[in-house]
Amino acid sequence: MYKVVFVFFMSCLLASSVAFGQDFLTDKEYGRQLYLDPRGIACIKCHGDDGKGSFIAKYTTRSGKVKEITAPDITNLDYEGFKEGVMNGKGVMPKYYLTDEEIHAIYVYINKGQDNE
């Protein structure tokens, strides 16, 4: 519940700052917040601190074959490819229902580096 309220609050602050021509948060700062927790399931949990992807799970099929689920590197995508992946998901990628502005902010964050600000 608190996460939803926080994201809603941050969205309202960003929207009001844009409406009044103020820069409350940069796209990179807003993108960082969304990357850490966009809708209760953080991008960082699967794609890692740097967006390079990571191991998610290992399982055994009924036939005994061991398979791994890994998140892909999202730092090498062009914006359209990134947006397509976020909007439509694929495999275990959840659909987040992010706005165009939110997707753009995450893309800016991922492609500008994740330094500690």
Side-chain angles (χ1 to χ4, degrees), residues 14-86:
L14 180 65
S16 66
S17 69
V18 170
F20 294 109
Q22 301 168 353
D23 289 330
F24 180 75
L25 292 174
T26 66
D27 279 351
K28 183 179 173 186
E29 292 166 333
Y30 187 49
R32 179 180 183 278
Q33 293 303 315
L34 291 168
Y35 187 79
L36 296 176
D37 194 3
R39 297 290 188 266
I41 303 172
C43 308
I44 195 171
K45 289 181 181 174
C46 294
H47 295 284
D49 292 336
D50 58 3
K52 298 285 186 185
S54 64
F55 170 80
I56 299 173
K58 184 187 291 189
Y59 66 96
T60 305
T61 66
R62 291 183 185 177
S63 64
K65 190 173 188 179
V66 177
K67 293 196 171 193
E68 288 187 358
I69 300 172
T70 57
D73 180 345
I74 58 174
T75 62
N76 58 0
L77 299 172
D78 63 18
Y79 179 71
E80 290 305 316
F82 180 82
K83 183 176 177 181
E84 174 72 22
V86 172

